Amino acid sequence: MGSAPASDHAPAPSYPAPSYPTGAPSYVADTVRTAAKILVVGHFAVGKTTFVGTLSEITPLRTEEPLSQAGAHVDDLAGVPDKTTTTVAMDFGRLTLSESLVLYLFGAPGQKRFAQLWTDMLQGALGAVILADTRRLDQSFDVMGLLEEYGMPYAVAVNQFDGAPLFPEEEVREALDLLPETPLVTCDARDAASSTKALIALVEYLQTRPIPDDASAAPSQES
Amino acid sequence: MTPARRREQGLVRAYVVTDGRAHPTRNTLDIVTLVNAVTSRPLTGLSPEKRGVMELCRGGALSVAEVAGHLGLPISVVKVLISDLIDSGHIFARAAVPKAQLPDVQLLQEVLDGLRARL
Ligand SMILES: Nc1nc2c(ncn2[C@@H]2O[C@H](COP(=O)(O)OP(=O)(O)O)[C@@H](O)[C@H]2O)c(=O)[nH]1
Ligand SMILES: [Mg+2]
């Protein structure tokens, strides 16, 4: 790839002859019929980019989304200097799960003012993994509240940083005020098996939930 | 550790509703909708941005989000470009499995099987 890596933590690029700054596109197999998505959310520096990069089979991509300035956002942005250049970054990667199924992982911060980005990410998502850091669990509250508002099911994965204190699961559950059924796992976002297990914990939990009538699980596709 | 959280109801729903009203759009593309270029369509009259989408999507299918990532454009912009290109017959959406034909239970099981196979 040579220049402008899609993320600080992208795996070594594997594409020849890039004609895009992001490297030559890796196309989805012709046999794929369904694209699902799972969100990877959490506060700054909690490991979202790392998690997506660890699991993605393509070099992770990043987009910068301008903050919407319409409607309810105007008030919100009034105090933001240089509002025209305010953007939020989203990292995403792809995993081929079978001949006919790909899974996209979207990593983005959870903040209320990124409403349009949230709507785009949440629509049709299966669920979310909230990455958390025991040194600042309170910073996870915003994103938890946001997902709950949207009715988006989530699992919490405590990213065990070097030097971060270990807490008994019960203490973490209590501090985060988790529902008894909400999965809580520890993970190392730098490790593929560990990160995969966090996704598995989420999906196993999703399987135990009643199926909503207007299931938002399968992404709606055009035509 | 940090002080315990109190579960609270926010104002996000209002944001979403307001935002929806502020942007009534024909654009119903999901960010993971897979799109391909219709290679037989002439590119005459297309803007440089739309040509960029067409060139990228000639080689195979990509999600709307990937198109945005490769082109260095916001997803919000790319959704509009692709919507237009679908309307003009330049792009078609692929991997269209209507929800009803692929129940959640089945999709979740397929996702789970695929993830477990990676361990
Ligand atoms: N020890 C440890 N460090 C991690 C882990 N995940 C991420 N990091 C490091 O934490 C920093 C922030 O991670 P990043 O993925 O950029 O966080 P983001 O802001 O949520 O995208 C980076 O230096 C990572 O290398 C983890 O599981 N364990
Ligand atoms: Mg990041």
Side-chain angles (χ1 to χ4, degrees), chain A residues 27 94 104 116 149 177, chain B residues 7 13 19 56 66 70:
Chain A
Y27 294 101
R94 189 175 83 205
Y104 286 93
Q116 182 55 51
E149 278 297 316
D177 190 20
Chain B
R7 208 170 271 281
R13 187 70 67 198
D19 201 50
L56 177 62
E66 285 169 295
H70 282 296

Side-chain angles (χ1 to χ4, degrees), chain A residues 45 48-50 62 91:
Chain A
K48 302 178 296 292
T49 300
T50 307
R62 168 171 293 182
D91 300 303

